[in-house]
Amino acid sequence: MRRWIQEAVKRPGRLRRYVARVYGQEGFTQRGTIRVEVLREIAKRKDSLGRAARLALTLRGLRGEA
């Protein structure tokens, strides 16, 4: 099986840095993951940051959390 997830993430960590810069501590849960509400809000964007948020939501769904 190919490593499609690693290839899909072009710039690791930039979504976390963006959330920390714009939303601060309120953008994260106690466990340190990005809040789903914040991800859904960012996913509405049409740029590559929105694409990264949509991928994060997809990966959360694969894990069974969304």
Side-chain angles (χ1 to χ4, degrees):
M1 180 174 221
R2 290 184 51 214
R3 298 176 56 152
W4 70 269
I5 295 174
Q6 288 83 353
E7 293 173 9
V9 179
K10 300 297 183 196
R11 293 168 56 193
R14 86 175 155 152
L15 188 58
R16 292 186 61 79
R17 286 191 301 270
Y18 175 80
V19 171
R21 188 175 72 241
V22 174
Y23 296 92
Q25 200 60 27
E26 286 75 38
F28 297 96
T29 62
Q30 284 289 95
R31 291 177 47 199
T33 59
I34 301 173
R35 292 192 183 277
V36 177
E37 306 86 43
V38 173
L39 281 175
R40 288 192 179 129
E41 185 177 326
I42 298 172
K44 295 176 185 175
R45 295 171 54 134
K46 302 293 184 199
D47 57 359
S48 60
L49 199 58
R51 188 175 349 150
R54 287 188 292 277
L55 177 64
L57 285 170
T58 301
L59 295 177
R60 275 183 100 104
L62 291 177
R63 208 167 66 177
E65 286 192 10

